[in-house]
Amino acid sequence: MTRIAIVGVAGRMGRTLVAAVEQDAEATLAGGVVEPGSSLAGADIGELAGLGKCGVAAAASLDAIVDDFDVLIDFTAPQVTLANLAFCAAHGKRIVIGTTGLSDEQLAELDGYRDQLAMVFAPNMSVGVNLTLKLLETAAKALGDEGYDIEVIEAHHRHKVDSPSGTALKMGEVVADSLGRTLKEHGVFERVGQCGPRDAKEIGFATVRAGDIVGEHTVMFATEGERIEITHKASSRMTFARGAVRAARWLAEQDNGRYGMQDVLGL
Ligand code: NAD
C-alpha cells in the first residue's frame, strides 16, 4: 500500500486526486495540505472533494503530516512545488509533480534535486497523452524534414495561468528533438501584424483559453495536398489524477532520480 499525501488539496486537481486515490486499491490517502492561512484547514478532505467524509483532515503544512506519507503528489504552482521538493528531499520522501509553467531557472532548480530523491515530473500525466508523444515522434521522423509544416494548437479552460500549456511545449519538444531542432531556435509563439511568410523549420504554437475546456491538443503536419492531425482531448481531470496515482505507486519502488511518465508507463 502506498501512502499518498496531496498538496493543494482544495484545488481543481487536488480534489480530483483525492477521488483517484480513494478509488485505487493499492494506495491509501495519508494526508492533504491546503494553502497557508486557508480557512479550509481542518476540513475533511473527502468532503472537500465532494465525496463525503473520509476521516482525513486538511493540514495547514507538510510538517504536520510528515510521518504519515511516503509519496507527495503536487499539482500547485512553480514556487510552491520547489519548496515542497526541498521539503521532500530533506525528509526522505518521494514526489510526483504535475505543476506546469516553470521557468528555465525553475526547471534547472528542480533538476538539481535528481540525485537527492525520487521524483516523477510530467506536464501531463494522462496515459493517452504519453502515448500521443510516442506517435508524434514517429510522425515527426517521417514527415518533419519532408516539407510538412508543424503547428501545435491547444485549448484549456479560462482559469489556466500558463501558456502555451506544459503539454503543448512537451509535444513541441518531442517533435523538435526528433528532427534535431530546438524550441529556443525554431519555436514561434506569436504571430501578429506583418510577420512575413512561415519558415520551413518553424514549430508554431497557438493557444485558446475558453470556458471549461479540460485540455485539448492537436499537432498538425501540413503540406501542399494533405494534412495530418494528431489530437488528444481530455474530457475529465480524472485522467490526469489516475496517471498521477499510478506514478506515485510506481515511484514508491524506485531509486533516487528524475523520471517522466514514459518511464512510469514503460513506453
Ligand atoms: P488550482 O488553482 O485549482 O489549484 C492549485 C491549488 O494549490 C490551489 O487550491 C491553491 O490553494 C493551492 N496552493 C497554492 N499554494 C499552496 C501552498 N503553499 N501550499 C498548499 N497548497 C497551495 O489549479 P489546478 O487546475 O489544480 O492546476 C494546478 C497545476 O497543475 C497547474 O500548474 C496546472 O497546469 C497543472 N496541471 C497539470 C496536469 C498534469 O497532468 N501534469 C493536469 C492538470 C493541471
Side-chain angles (χ1 to χ4, degrees):
M1 233 1 143
T2 308
R3 298 182 308 159
I4 296 177
I6 299 160
V7 70
V9 78
R12 276 177 288 265
M13 277 306 298
R15 282 175 278 138
T16 316
L17 283 159
V18 170
V21 177
E22 285 287 72
Q23 286 172 15
D24 194 300
E26 288 159 51
T28 166
L29 199 48
V33 180
V34 287
E35 203 169 340
S38 168
S39 59
L40 297 171
D44 185 282
I45 64 175
E47 288 196 325
L48 282 182
L51 303 171
K53 267 198 175 23
C54 71
V56 179
S61 73
L62 278 174
D63 278 313
I65 57 166
V66 66
D67 295 328
D68 301 338
F69 73 96
D70 307 309
V71 184
L72 184 68
I73 301 183
D74 183 326
F75 284 64
T76 56
Q79 278 304 344
V80 181
T81 294
L82 289 171
N84 292 339
L85 197 47
F87 181 95
C88 287
H91 292 88
K93 306 291 178 184
R94 293 171 162 79
I95 184 167
V96 172
I97 300 169
T99 305
T100 62
L102 282 75
S103 66
D104 287 348
E105 292 72 30
Q106 288 170 324
L107 285 172
E109 190 176 335
L110 177 144
D111 200 51
Y113 286 96
R114 64 161 64 227
D115 296 329
Q116 297 176 45
L117 82 173
M119 69 169 116
V120 169
F121 172 57
N124 196 306
M125 303 271 174
S126 105
V127 174
V129 159
N130 286 283
L131 174 65
T132 304
L133 294 176
K134 273 283 157 198
L135 301 176
L136 288 174
E137 205 179 305
T138 307
K141 282 186 180 142
L143 305 173
D145 286 329
E146 301 296 327
Y148 287 76
D149 299 329
I150 304 173
E151 298 278 312
V152 184
I153 303 123
E154 60 102 337
H156 280 87
H157 54 88
R158 59 167 67 129
H159 303 289
K160 185 161 179 63
V161 293
D162 53 318
S163 166
S165 72
T167 305
L169 289 170
K170 181 73 185 174
M171 289 177 165
E173 268 165 27
V174 165
V175 167
D177 282 352
S178 307
L179 295 168
R181 302 180 198 169
T182 63
L183 289 189
K184 275 222 159 18
E185 195 181 344
H186 300 103
V188 173
F189 298 94
E190 195 177 64
R191 294 184 181 112
V192 187
Q194 297 292 315
C195 52
R198 187 185 198 287
D199 181 83
K201 295 206 162 177
E202 274 177 30
I203 298 174
F205 288 82
T207 294
V208 174
R209 291 289 174 266
D212 62 354
I213 302 170
V214 173
E216 301 187 359
H217 295 85
T218 293
V219 181
M220 180 190 290
F221 298 83
T223 190
E224 286 174 18
E226 71 172 356
R227 184 165 91 216
I228 296 149
E229 295 181 357
I230 298 179
T231 295
H232 178 271
K233 295 185 183 181
S235 48
S236 157
R237 286 187 178 83
M238 198 45 122
T239 183
F240 311 125
R242 283 210 189 96
V245 175
R246 182 166 169 178
R249 282 200 274 103
W250 177 86
L251 193 64
E253 310 293 323
Q254 307 305 316
D255 295 331
N256 287 358
R258 174 178 161 181
Y259 305 97
M261 279 308 277
Q262 307 281 326
D263 301 308
V264 175
L265 302 173
L267 283 171

